[in-house]
């Protein structure tokens, strides 16, 4: 699933094309929203909230989620789409103030809804603080994490505590902090975890290739994620792998060094 930095970059790319533009085409290819038409409305902006995308158009908000396979593309009108049309779930055409005609297409999207902008919190109000947001509140994020008795690997991925961290970030954060993934979150230094995670995701938000080690070369960008059975980059011990989740239906792959993480 795309993590918060990927969604942030997607929102920024969409906002650069659509902010201030007038909608000329608006198609939502899902039954529950297929009749909604926002043509003629002005796009105020596109923002991310954790892993959620919010198009603010007129007095309405289009909410979408990328889930595992979703993506938004930005085209000049008339350009050929880089994915087949049958995968398109949303199409927004718009004319910018300078006359440029844009077409943005959402492929394989999930959770598509349109609500009055005043009611956005009905959809995303449950989310915890977002480290990529201007309203980032690290104290509140640490308080939420510190109150969770579950395994820290599970707690850190709970979007109600902190919005934006996914499985890759969580594995890497816990390695750098030297924390075993099964450690109860309320027995960790939550403030230090939150601070490190925020610095990591902010460092990656402008990169085309995410890295946690500082090395962007293929195969060198992570400390433990997807490195099961390979030597730890710090101590040489073989990285272990397994799975953890809030319940059996939500398990995620987990990786750790048995020496560096205790």
């Amino acid at each position: 699933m795309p993590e918060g930095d990927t969604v942030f970059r997607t929102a920024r790319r969409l906002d650069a094309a659509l902010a201030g533009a007038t909608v000329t085409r608006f198609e939502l290819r899902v039954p529950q929203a297929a009749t909604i038409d926002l043509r003629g409305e002005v796009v105020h902006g596109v923002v991310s909230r954790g892993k959620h995308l919010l198009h603010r158009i007129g007095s309405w908000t289009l909410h979408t989620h990328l889930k595992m396979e979703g993506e938004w593309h930005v085209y000049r009108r008339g350009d050929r789409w880089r994915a087949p049309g049958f995968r398109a779930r949303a199409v927004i055409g718009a004319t910018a103030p300078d006359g440029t005609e844009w077409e943005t297409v959402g492929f394989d999207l999930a959770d598509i809804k349109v609500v009055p902008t005043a009611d956005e919190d009905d959809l995303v109000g449950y989310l915890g603080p977002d480290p990529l947001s201007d309203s980032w509140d690290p104290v509140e994020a640490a308080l939420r994490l510190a109150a969770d008795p579950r395994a820290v690997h599970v707690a850190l991925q709970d979007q109600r505590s902190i919005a934006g961290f996914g499985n890759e970030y969580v594995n890497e954060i816990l390695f750098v902090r030297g924390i075993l993934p099964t450690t109860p979150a309320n027995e960790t230094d939550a403030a230090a975890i939150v601070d490190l995670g925020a610095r990591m995701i902010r460092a990656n938000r402008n990169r085309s290739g995410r890295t946690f080690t500082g090395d962007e070369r293929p195969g060198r960008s992570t400390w433990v994620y997807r490195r099961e059975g390979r030597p730890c980059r710090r101590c040489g011990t073989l990285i272990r792998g397994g799975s953890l989740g809030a319940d059996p239906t939500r398990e995620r792959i987990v990786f750790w060094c048995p020496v560096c993480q205790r």
Side-chain angles (χ1 to χ4, degrees):
M1 183 179 293
E3 311 226 7
D5 53 352
T6 300
V7 181
F8 176 88
R9 287 191 297 274
T10 299
R12 185 169 55 189
R13 188 168 65 253
L14 290 166
D15 186 75
L18 296 177
T22 300
V23 176
T24 56
R25 180 181 181 184
F26 190 83
E27 297 178 17
L28 299 180
R29 300 177 179 180
V30 290
Q32 69 271 21
T35 61
I36 297 172
D37 187 357
L38 297 184
R39 286 178 297 175
E41 300 284 0
V42 174
V43 181
H44 302 300
V46 183
V47 299
S48 63
R49 183 83 179 271
K51 300 181 182 183
H52 301 252
L53 279 164
L54 304 171
H55 287 70
R56 292 167 178 160
I57 304 171
S59 60
W60 300 89
T61 293
L62 166 64
H63 165 270
T64 60
H65 197 295
L66 302 182
K67 292 293 184 180
M68 292 295 292
E69 298 175 346
E71 54 187 353
W72 277 93
H73 293 185
V74 176
Y75 303 100
R76 295 291 183 109
R77 188 168 301 164
D79 288 352
R80 184 174 181 177
W81 294 358
R82 297 187 302 276
F86 70 84
R87 290 174 48 198
R89 296 294 177 266
V91 183
I92 302 174
T95 301
D98 65 0
T100 304
E101 295 186 336
W102 298 101
E103 192 165 66
T104 61
V105 188
F107 296 96
D108 300 321
L109 302 174
D111 296 341
I112 299 173
K113 296 181 179 68
V114 177
V115 299
T117 298
D119 296 336
E120 268 184 14
D121 274 359
D122 291 347
L123 300 178
V124 295
Y126 71 94
L127 294 171
D130 180 350
L132 298 181
S133 167
D134 292 338
S135 60
W136 167 236
D137 186 344
V139 175
E140 176 62 22
L143 287 172
R144 294 188 184 204
L145 183 63
D148 197 327
R150 295 176 298 173
V152 65
H153 184 271
V154 173
L156 259 181
Q157 291 189 77
D158 191 331
Q159 301 299 294
R160 295 171 297 181
S161 295
I162 306 167
F165 293 150
N167 199 35
E168 185 173 3
Y169 269 97
V170 170
N171 276 284
E172 295 295 293
I173 290 168
L174 295 180
F175 172 80
V176 174
R177 284 296 306 164
I179 300 170
L180 196 64
T182 52
T183 305
N186 59 0
E187 296 179 10
T188 67
D189 185 342
I193 291 174
V194 166
D195 176 69
L196 174 65
R199 286 188 285 114
M200 277 184 172
I201 200 167
R202 288 178 174 182
N204 279 314
R205 66 182 166 187
N206 295 322
R207 289 187 173 121
S208 57
R210 181 185 299 147
T211 181
F212 298 94
T213 62
D215 191 334
E216 297 185 35
R217 288 176 293 176
R220 295 176 177 266
S221 62
T222 63
W223 293 103
V224 292
Y225 187 70
R226 294 195 181 278
R227 298 194 67 246
E228 181 179 4
R230 300 172 67 183
C232 174
R233 299 190 192 280
R234 282 184 177 169
C235 72
T237 304
L238 296 185
I239 299 299
R240 294 183 183 176
S243 61
L244 280 173
D247 59 57
T249 67
R250 290 182 286 174
E251 289 191 344
R252 298 290 185 270
I253 52 176
V254 58
F255 306 93
W256 74 96
C257 172
V259 171
C260 295
Q261 294 169 260
R262 294 181 180 275

